[in-house]
Amino acid sequence: MIIKTILDTDLYKFTTSYAYIKLFPYAVGTFSFKDRDETECTAGFLEALKNEIQNLRLVVLQEDELEYMYAHCRFLPRVYWEWLSSFRFDPDKVDVFVDKERHLHIEVTDFLYKVTLYEVPLLAIVSEIRNQFMNRVPDDNDWMGRLAEKVEISNRNQMPFSEFGTRRRFSFEVQDKVVAYLKKYALYCTGSSNCHLAMKYNMLPMGTHPHEWFMFHGAQFGYKHANYMALENWVNVYDGDLGTALSDTYTSDSFLNNFSRKQAKLFDGVRCDSGNEYDFVDRLIARYKELGIDPSNKTIIFSNALDFEKALQIFNYCKGKIKCSFGIGTNLTNDTGYKPSNIVMKLSRCKMNANQEWRECVKLSDDMGKHMGSNSEVEACLHELRIPN
């Protein structure tokens, strides 16, 4: 089994699941897999993938895990973890197939508070099995040497970062070794998004909310109001906890235009996950100043395909202007000498309840070529937000 515990996932899957339970318990959604590299899959790979998906039905939350998460996540009530202990993945809800070009497709449909939990484990499984079938064997001395250099960059410059590498890791074993090394040697590692490894190594589990939260609001309430309503509803659930706002679901320009003074004061900071980081720093600082807020009291979390050299450049750019930290994923858990899989799994459609019609979900990235959704719905979103195509 690749996934042995339900905690082998990112914290924000649980925080988002609980938010759906609180506010939208009847909402249903579909998560769809996309391989941006369009890798051709063999029959053996597909069979191994399906077998691992079947194994997910064996994954449960253990009593000691429940107690740990309840003790370390004050923003989630015990009743959520007790519900999670009864939750079981249902492999029958996971539709896995290859098309005529042998490209992989995965779709999962269920109530949103349940289906959100499938995303990260499925991506981690695909990545690890693909590496197995490509006969990739990492040289530990090689990649661990690079890891030591990265940690030295952080230590020498007092640069804070978190490990965000579950979904596109080379393997669980590699991620486990990475987090163990960070715990021992990285003086400014603030934690891991992986709840199981955070528990194993006594580190802080890290995370807030994902793009899907905003995509759901965009589909249900309109793209103009999506950012504002998504943040308002997050506050309604968490009352100021988990205060890092994701900025780029419908472009950062749209986000900043809708970033109200109340939200800017209430949220501790903003996460930048696409686009030009230096430009975003300048625009966010300008927005804070426009709202009468001292930007030096706020924090930007950068998480867009970073390596440590680029993070250091951004870190130095922010000095004296605004606090910053970095969520670094693939560069930590899949820098093994092989090209990592460029795979994602996003909310593709949703409805508020069983009687509503399906509504497509889209995401507009600040990076060219990374918009997600059908051409017609992306065009509609761009038009509603008055964004030039």
Side-chain angles (χ1 to χ4, degrees), residues 27-44:
V28 180
T30 297
F31 271 76
S32 300
F33 171 89
K34 180 177 178 60
D35 178 1
R36 292 173 174 145
D37 294 329
E38 297 188 335
T39 311
E40 291 188 13
C41 300
T42 65

Side-chain angles (χ1 to χ4, degrees), residues 353-385:
N353 54 62
N355 296 321
Q356 188 189 63
E357 75 283 358
W358 285 107
R359 296 182 180 177
E360 186 181 353
C361 299
V362 300
K363 175 181 176 291
L364 303 183
S365 175
D366 283 337
D367 291 328
M368 293 299 295
K370 287 190 176 181
H371 294 342
M372 297 196 69
S374 69
N375 291 337
S376 59
E377 192 62 30
V378 168
E379 288 285 346
C381 183
L382 290 168
H383 177 75
E384 184 173 338
L385 294 175

Side-chain angles (χ1 to χ4, degrees), residues 223-263:
Y223 302 116
K224 286 182 179 179
H225 308 290
N227 285 317
Y228 180 82
M229 290 195 65
L231 293 182
E232 287 294 292
N233 279 331
W234 196 254
V235 172
N236 289 341
V237 176
Y238 289 111
D239 199 29
D241 280 325
L242 302 168
T244 301
L246 184 55
S247 64
D248 68 330
T249 308
Y250 298 111
T251 73
S252 56
D253 280 340
S254 175
F255 172 86
L256 292 173
N257 288 338
N258 285 280
F259 201 31
S260 70
R261 188 170 186 273
K262 181 184 82 172
Q263 291 172 343

Side-chain angles (χ1 to χ4, degrees), residues 141-293:
N141 290 330
D142 178 53
W143 71 263
M144 289 287 286
R146 287 195 295 276
L147 177 61
E149 293 171 0
K150 297 166 188 175
V151 169
E152 176 58 24
I153 290 173
S154 169
N155 288 348
R156 186 171 61 249
N157 294 280
Q158 302 180 22
M159 183 179 75
F161 71 95
S162 301
E163 183 273 312
F164 274 20
T166 303
R167 66 189 60 226
R168 285 184 286 269
R169 66 193 182 195
F170 183 89
S171 65
F172 173 79
E173 181 183 4
V174 166
Q175 187 180 18
D176 188 28
K177 290 179 179 179
V178 167
V179 177
Y181 188 92
L182 297 179
K183 173 65 176 179
K184 188 172 183 180
Y185 297 108
L187 303 178
Y188 298 94
C189 179
T190 55
S192 171
S193 64
N194 186 293
C195 296
H196 169 63
L197 294 175
M199 176 180 172
K200 181 176 180 179
Y201 293 105
N202 191 28
M203 299 172 74
L204 190 66
M206 305 292 293
T208 51
H209 50 227
H211 292 106
E212 73 178 85
W213 182 249
F214 296 81
M215 294 166 72
F216 169 78
H217 282 77
Q220 293 299 324
F221 304 112
Y223 302 116
K224 286 182 179 179
H225 308 290
N227 285 317
Y228 180 82
M229 290 195 65
L231 293 182
E232 287 294 292
N233 279 331
W234 196 254
V235 172
N236 289 341
V237 176
Y238 289 111
D239 199 29
D241 280 325
L242 302 168
T244 301
L246 184 55
S247 64
D248 68 330
T249 308
Y250 298 111
T251 73
S252 56
D253 280 340
S254 175
F255 172 86
L256 292 173
N257 288 338
N258 285 280
F259 201 31
S260 70
R261 188 170 186 273
K262 181 184 82 172
Q263 291 172 343
K265 288 178 73 70
L266 182 60
F267 279 83
D268 302 321
V270 171
R271 179 157 73 96
C272 173
D273 195 48
S274 64
N276 183 296
E277 289 88 355
Y278 307 98
D279 177 59
F280 182 78
V281 170
D282 294 341
R283 289 186 292 123
L284 179 61
I285 288 174
R287 182 59 174 164
Y288 277 133
K289 289 181 176 178
E290 181 185 348
L291 295 170
I293 295 169

Side-chain angles (χ1 to χ4, degrees), residues 103-129:
H103 298 155
L104 179 64
H105 296 266
I106 306 174
E107 285 198 340
V108 196
T109 301
D110 205 339
F111 288 107
L112 279 172
Y113 66 88
K114 292 193 285 186
V115 75
T116 190
L117 300 174
Y118 286 76
E119 176 198 355
V120 174
L122 287 174
L123 288 171
I125 288 170
V126 170
S127 181
E128 183 160 348
I129 293 179

